[in-house]
């Protein structure tokens, strides 16, 4: 159907994002595949294309002889309007086939703010918005990604939520669909969904009935016959045997991450209490030094990117990080191939690491995330970083010639008072003073970047009251005054924060139950799109929709967000098992309130969070005992045939 | 590692010893690439192909790729040019093959020669465009072109991100006629035959030679001018392809900008 789309493209912004054909994109023969997946990232191409989850599943599925996968991304409102005008359905960018023609539509939700874009895609595809209205002819809509750990707000719109790591479960879902189709679709869609519900990691919301209590809370969640009482997440072990993506997609239009990424480990047990990713991806599973080296080599060769990001939730924590960075910097010396460590901690960080990372690439600023301004609040959130550690680290960085430090914080944390936030100013002032002393220059910079805290399911803060945006905005106004109270230091400090109001809506979507689905649908019907983009997000539209849809049911936006929950309340996601023991989470919440810290189980004894026994997994950390295979990076053109572009394995 | 000290090059890069000029095409769906998108694709392709490309010095080394007047987003081209600085002499044919293999399909390398003498910019002052106008009859196009060519000056307005600009289309227009490709042009997509009512799709073809001015007159501007002088308004988006760039001779033909390099190289 590209012929239908093509005449519209000259009339929209950045049309190239809709044409497909990127390097390493795949287009398999439609008829060759028994099971066809459309994989969607529900945001714009520039955000969605670099998404690792979609790229991994795209390759894993396309490697199967009996399956194919094509990608799609959210279309901007300019194209959406033209598609409606000309009756062009939602399409994949690889084959430009209508989404409705696929067996499965997999949607990866990194954030809850993509929910309205799911509805746009379904509607443009002619797929009924409500799962209950779909027939055998419609794709099975599967939600994945971190937000799928509480899919209740989108329970009406999705058929299945896949919990946890996707590498294996997508193959198993493919098998179930293939067999059902081969058998002549016995029992229709209902039986297919029942078969999927019996499958590990697959939650089928329509097979659970939610009963509400008079106080507005949930009285019970009852599985229908055949559905398990609770659904446990999937965990991929031995990352070395899953070296995906092998050939990263190279975007045609500019994207937010113009680099290849290699995931060096998955999971995190630092135990930051605000961090949903760290809680739901346990245990820690490292890729080996050798495995990382091979993936970096493959990614650079296949893509031509000049930067490789070593991804994880806290990359400097890899047990072999020094060997990884030194080895890769040696390998790519003189080739203008840079490395980056997107997530680093002050205490796991050292300047040798930073120097290795920047050796062949660009020396941008250093970024740290103390997250909390005061020692007290950092104990509450279990981010065990002392201000003195931070100052020591940045002093050394400035002495080594770095000129800029970025610090990330959150505002609106549980138990937070004005003072906790105002201490950020003192910390920033000390950074500038230390930087000037260490570098002997006046022009050092510190940028403090602040986000509003959103309590998330499956974390110790799942019971916490979210701070109202007005409280957050007021604290940040006071912080700005405090930063500028010393003009000489303040002028070298930049402060960045966004409007706090989207965080409240994110909070509603994160901890909502099925009743929130009505709010999402109303917002979407009234034009809500791209809620992660400030130019498209409308707070008023969300609050009005929440009033209209929730208050007749005896609940409200505030009820879902700024209200603290008690221990006995049935949480909407209690029947979804991230492996974390509920009692442990509660105890950790109580520890947070008393400012008690929790160590990391990689270096101290197990503290019984419950994940390993309940998911049958274990920590997989090095040192792996492997070595980086030495590769000689040589030029290909203009050399003899024997050494042209080849590697010398060692 | 040793820290960089003042006065030292942050990234001592080998010098440029050879420059190769490449002609390439932007075809099919990839005509929707913007110039920046094309440039990024080439930067990655030279790395994938292990072309020994030279880099600028400093903290942010960039590959030495020099671009000449890119075709606008949405326009295809059979005649785009880039000059690549190299740290090692290469056979241009090898470079062309390796680069072509490393680029996405639709960005296709057509020719490569070692750069000699005058710069590329001095060898290009005009473009020949081929524009398909679906839904337009050749006779209507011919009448509109006659009207346009009969004027001395025809100014159209173009809205750009930085504001509105007035562009004199007629002043830049060297030649314009109804009809397809001239000799030496690469083949393009099959074009539906000029139809009669009820006998299949109608699609007039325009060939226009446009002098390169600042701001550049684009095919869209020519179409805008045809609307102004004759009310010609294609019912569907036109498809423009740049067929050639080069120096205008007295007959209005374009000289191959790589021609003299090729003679020198092969001689």
């Amino acid at each position: 159907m590209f012929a239908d789309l093509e005449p519209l493209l000259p009339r929209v912004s950045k049309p190239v994002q809709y044409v497909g054909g990127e390097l390493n994109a795949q287009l398999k023969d439609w008829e060759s595949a028994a099971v066809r997946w459309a994989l969607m990232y529900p945001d714009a191409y520039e955000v969605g294309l670099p998404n690792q989850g979609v790229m991994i599943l795209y390759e894993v599925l396309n490697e199967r002889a009996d399956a194919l996968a094509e990608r799609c991304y959210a279309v901007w409102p300019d194209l959406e309007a033209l598609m409606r005008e000309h009756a062009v359905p939602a399409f994949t960018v690889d084959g430009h086939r209508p989404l409705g023609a696929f067996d499965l539509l997999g949607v990866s939700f990194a954030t809850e703010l993509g929910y309205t874009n799911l509805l746009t895609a379904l509607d443009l595809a002619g797929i009924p918005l409500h799962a209950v209205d779909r027939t055998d002819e419609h794709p099975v809509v599967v939600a994945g990604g971190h937000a799928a750990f509480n899919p209740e707000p989108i329970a009406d719109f999705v058929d299945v939520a896949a919990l946890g790591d996707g590498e294996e479960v997508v193959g198993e879902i493919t098998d179930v669909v293939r067999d059902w189709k081969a058998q002549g679709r016995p029992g229709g869609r209902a039986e297919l969904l029942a078969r999927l519900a019996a499958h590990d990691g697959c939650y089928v919301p329509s097979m659970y009935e939610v009963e509400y209590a008079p106080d507005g809370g949930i009285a019970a969640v009852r599985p229908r016959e055949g559905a398990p009482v609770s659904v446990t997440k999937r965990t991929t072990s031995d990352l070395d045997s899953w070296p995906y993506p092998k050939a990263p997609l190279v975007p045609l239009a500019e994207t937010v991450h113009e680099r290849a990424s290699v995931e060096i480990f998955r999971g995190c047990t630092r135990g930051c209490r605000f961090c949903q990713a760290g809680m739901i991806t346990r245990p820690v599973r490292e890729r080996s030094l050798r495995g990382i080296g091979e993936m970096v080599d493959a990614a650079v060769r296949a893509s031509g990117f000049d930067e490789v990001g070593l991804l994880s939730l806290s990359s400097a924590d890899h047990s072999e990080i020094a060997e990884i960075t030194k080895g890769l910097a040696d390998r790519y010396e003189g080739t203008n191939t840079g490395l980056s460590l997107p997530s680093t901690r002050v205490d796991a960080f050292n300047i040798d690491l930073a120097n290795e990372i920047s050796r062949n690439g660009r020396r941008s600023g250093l970024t740290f995330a103390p997250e909390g301004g005061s020692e007290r609040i950092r104990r509450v959130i279990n981010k065990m970083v002392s201000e003195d550690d931070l100052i020591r680290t940045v002093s050394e960085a400035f002495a080594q010639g770095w000129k800029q430090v970025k610090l990330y914080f959150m505002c609106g944390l549980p138990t937070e008072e004005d003072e906790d936030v105002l201490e950020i100013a003192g910390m920033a002032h000390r950074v500038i003073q230390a930087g000037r002393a260490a570098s002997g220059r006046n022009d050092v910079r510190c940028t403090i970047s602040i986000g509003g805290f959103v309590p998330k399911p499956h974390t110790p803060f799942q019971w916490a009251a979210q701070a109202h945006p007005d409280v957050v905005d007021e604290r940040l106004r006071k912080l700005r005054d405090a930063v500028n109270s010393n003009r000489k230091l303040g002028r070298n400090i930049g402060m960045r924060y966004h409007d706090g109001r989207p965080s409240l809506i994110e909070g509603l979507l994160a901890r909502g139950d099925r009743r929130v689905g009505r709010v999402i649908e109303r917002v979407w019907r009234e034009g809500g799109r791209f809620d992660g983009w400030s130019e498209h997000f409308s707070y008023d539209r969300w609050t009005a929709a929440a009033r209209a849809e929730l208050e007749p049911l005896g609940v409200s936006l505030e009820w879902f967000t700024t209200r603290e929950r008690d221990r006995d309340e049935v949480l909407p996601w209690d029947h979804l098992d991230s492996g974390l023991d509920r009692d442990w989470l509660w105890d950790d919440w109580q520890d947070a309130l008393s400012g008690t810290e929790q160590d990391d189980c990689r270096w101290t004894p197990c503290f019984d969070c419950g994940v390993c026994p309940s998911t049958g997994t274990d920590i997989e950390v090095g040192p792996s005992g492997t070595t980086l295979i030495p590769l000689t990076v040589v030029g290909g053109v203009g050399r003899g045939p024997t050494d042209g572009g080849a590697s010398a394995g060692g | 590692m040793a820290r960089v000290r003042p006065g030292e090059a942050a990234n001592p890069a080998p010098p440029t010893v050879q420059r190769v000029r490449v002609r390439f095409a932007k075809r099919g769906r990839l005509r929707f690439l913007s110039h920046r998108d094309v440039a990024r694709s080439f930067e990655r392709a030279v790395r994938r192909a292990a072309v020994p490309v030279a880099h600028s010095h400093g903290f942010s080394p960039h590959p030495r790729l020099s671009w000449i007047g890119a075709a606008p987003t949405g326009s295809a081209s059979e005649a785009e040019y880039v000059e690549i600085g190299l740290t090692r002499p290469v056979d241009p044919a090898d470079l062309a093959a390796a680069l072509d293999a490393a680029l996405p399909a639709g960005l296709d390398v057509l020719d490569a020669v070692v750069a000699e003498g005058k710069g590329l910019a001095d060898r290009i002052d005009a473009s020949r465009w081929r524009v398909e106008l679906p839904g337009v009859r050749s006779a209507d196009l011919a009448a509109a072109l006659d009207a346009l060519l009969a004027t001395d000056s025809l100014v159209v307005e173009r809205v750009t991100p930085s504001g509105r600009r007035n562009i004199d289309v007629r002043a830049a227009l060297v030649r314009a006629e109804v009809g397809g490709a001239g000799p030496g042009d690469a083949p393009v997509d099959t074009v539906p035959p000029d139809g009669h009512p009820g006998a299949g799709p109608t699609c007039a073809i325009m060939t226009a030679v446009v002098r390169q001015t600042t701001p550049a007159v684009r095919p869209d501007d020519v179409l805008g001018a045809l609307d102004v002088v004759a009310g010609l308004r294609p019912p569907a988006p036109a498809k423009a392809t740049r067929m050639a760039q080069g120096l205008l001779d007295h007959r209005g033909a374009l000289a191959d900008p790589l021609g003299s390099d090729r003679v020198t190289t092969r001689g």
Side-chain angles (χ1 to χ4, degrees), chain A residues 556-573:
Chain A
S556 65
L557 174 59
E558 291 70 30
W559 190 86
F560 281 106
T561 55
T562 55
R563 179 180 63 93
E564 185 170 331
R565 280 73 161 162
D566 66 32
R567 183 174 193 161
D568 299 329
E569 180 166 336
V570 177
L571 300 173
W573 52 90

Side-chain angles (χ1 to χ4, degrees), chain A residues 2 6-7 16 23 96 250-254 258 301-306 335-337 359 362 399 636-637 639, chain B residues 1 3 29-33 36-37 40 44 47-52 55 59-61 88 95 98 102 237 239:
Chain A
F2 186 73
E6 194 174 19
V16 75
L23 261 182
H96 292 94
V250 182
L252 289 172
E254 190 166 11
E258 292 283 312
R301 280 174 198 284
S303 69
F305 281 122
D306 63 359
T335 67
N336 296 297
T337 304
R359 187 171 358 147
R362 290 150 200 190
V637 176
R639 301 251 178 170
Chain B
M1 76 158 237
R3 66 183 270 219
R29 294 170 192 188
L30 291 207
R31 75 177 188 277
F32 291 110
L33 289 170
R36 280 163 50 83
D37 300 331
R40 270 197 316 278
R44 284 164 191 159
R47 293 172 56 83
R48 283 184 87 220
V51 172
H55 282 77
F59 275 119
S60 286
R88 201 172 68 222
L95 183 145
K239 254 192 222 179

Side-chain angles (χ1 to χ4, degrees), chain A residues 146 149-150 163-164 230-235 276-283 457-459 462 573-582 584-585 609-612 614-615 617:
Chain A
H146 290 179
F149 275 85
N150 176 25
L163 306 188
S230 85
V231 179
T232 303
K233 74 164 182 182
R234 299 297 297 270
T235 305
Q276 186 191 38
M279 292 289 164
I280 63 177
T281 61
R282 294 175 175 200
H458 306 281
T459 70
Q462 65 183 355
W573 52 90
D574 273 345
H575 56 300
L576 303 178
D577 185 1
S578 59
L580 296 160
D581 182 71
R582 199 182 197 271
W584 177 80
L585 279 174
C609 75
V611 169
C612 293
S614 74
T615 60
T617 54

Side-chain angles (χ1 to χ4, degrees), chain B residues 128 149 170 172-177 207-210 251-254:
Chain B
R128 185 168 72 250
L149 292 170
R170 179 63 190 93
L173 195 61
V174 179
R175 266 173 43 199
E177 63 226 15
T207 296
V209 176
V210 179
R251 289 170 302 132
L254 297 175

Side-chain angles (χ1 to χ4, degrees), chain A residues 82-313:
Chain A
L82 288 172
M83 288 167 69
R84 290 185 186 284
E85 187 186 330
H86 296 271
V88 175
F91 57 88
T92 57
V93 296
D94 292 303
H96 292 94
R97 289 189 251 258
L99 296 192
F102 288 80
D103 298 305
L104 295 130
L105 171 60
V107 190
S108 178
F109 289 104
T111 156
E112 299 82 359
L113 294 173
Y115 291 161
T116 49
N117 284 356
L118 166 68
L119 298 191
T120 307
L122 292 175
D123 187 53
L124 283 175
I127 301 169
L129 292 191
H130 292 255
V132 68
D133 297 329
R134 292 174 199 150
T135 69
D136 292 8
E137 301 311 307
H138 295 117
V140 173
V141 179
V142 185
H146 290 179
F149 275 85
N150 176 25
E152 292 301 89
I154 50 170
D156 289 347
F157 315 124
V158 302
D159 296 294
V160 180
L163 306 188
D165 297 334
E167 286 97 339
E168 291 165 291
V169 79
V170 290
E172 295 162 15
I173 293 172
T174 303
D175 292 342
V176 170
V177 173
R178 182 198 55 206
D179 294 348
W180 174 77
K181 283 175 74 176
Q183 292 158 11
R185 307 177 186 239
R189 190 178 187 90
E191 176 164 337
L192 174 61
L193 293 178
R195 289 186 190 184
L196 289 170
H199 212 82
D200 286 349
C202 292
Y203 168 57
V204 177
S206 61
M207 298 194 68
Y208 295 77
E209 211 155 347
V210 180
E211 189 186 313
Y212 298 97
D215 67 358
I218 293 172
V221 177
R222 291 198 183 82
R224 294 180 209 271
E225 197 181 316
V229 173
S230 85
V231 179
T232 303
K233 74 164 182 182
R234 299 297 297 270
T235 305
T236 301
S237 293
D238 185 17
L239 292 198
D240 279 342
S241 63
W242 294 94
Y244 298 90
K246 295 172 179 172
L249 290 162
V250 182
L252 289 172
E254 190 166 11
T255 61
V256 292
H257 296 306
E258 292 283 312
R259 59 178 176 240
S261 293
V262 171
E263 185 183 25
I264 64 172
F265 66 90
R266 197 173 291 180
C268 181
T269 39
R270 283 286 185 169
C272 303
R273 291 177 174 127
F274 54 83
C275 179
Q276 186 191 38
M279 292 289 164
I280 63 177
T281 61
R282 294 175 175 200
V284 171
R285 290 145 288 153
E286 287 188 354
R287 205 182 290 283
S288 71
L289 174 58
R290 176 167 299 178
I292 292 165
E294 288 169 357
M295 279 191 73
V296 170
D297 178 51
V300 168
R301 280 174 198 284
S303 69
F305 281 122
D306 63 359
E307 183 181 330
V308 180
L310 302 176
L311 288 195
S312 74
L313 292 172

Side-chain angles (χ1 to χ4, degrees), chain B residues 135 137 192-203:
Chain B
R137 295 187 315 135
D194 224 3
H196 305 288
T202 301
C203 184

Side-chain angles (χ1 to χ4, degrees), chain A residues 397-549:
Chain A
F398 284 123
Q400 295 271 343
W402 300 77
K403 294 195 185 72
Q404 161 141 307
V405 168
K406 279 188 228 167
L407 302 177
Y408 282 11
F409 296 94
M410 281 184 298
C411 185
L413 290 161
T415 79
E416 180 184 281
E417 302 285 347
D418 286 0
E419 292 67 42
D420 297 306
V421 173
L422 294 178
E423 283 195 36
I424 294 170
M427 194 187 286
H429 288 159
R430 275 187 73 190
V431 166
I432 297 297
Q433 286 167 325
R436 286 181 182 164
S439 67
R441 323 170 48 121
N442 257 333
D443 63 348
V444 295
R445 292 279 309 164
C446 174
T447 302
I448 51 183
S449 193
I450 301 166
F453 168 63
V454 180
K456 292 279 168 106
H458 306 281
T459 70
F461 290 165
Q462 65 183 355
W463 289 280
Q466 182 171 356
H468 195 276
D470 294 345
V471 174
V472 172
D473 290 350
E474 177 63 11
R475 281 197 185 130
L476 294 179
R477 197 189 54 72
K478 289 177 183 164
L479 172 60
R480 185 178 286 281
D481 291 344
V483 167
N484 292 329
S485 65
N486 183 326
R487 292 296 309 156
K488 287 203 165 118
L489 299 173
R491 66 190 156 104
N492 289 38
I493 299 169
M495 191 170 149
R496 296 207 325 224
Y497 65 91
H498 298 291
D499 175 13
R501 297 181 305 175
S503 298
L504 196 72
I505 302 308
E506 188 185 336
L508 170 72
L509 299 175
R511 290 195 294 171
D513 59 35
R514 294 186 178 188
R515 294 170 291 190
V516 172
R518 301 159 180 249
V519 183
I520 297 168
E521 188 172 338
R522 177 183 280 255
V523 164
W524 175 78
R525 289 196 186 283
E526 291 173 359
R529 304 286 188 277
F530 287 92
D531 287 299
W533 297 72
S534 56
E535 62 269 44
H536 292 282
F537 176 82
S538 165
Y539 183 66
D540 293 341
R541 186 155 53 206
W542 277 99
T543 51
R547 259 195 311 279
E549 296 291 348

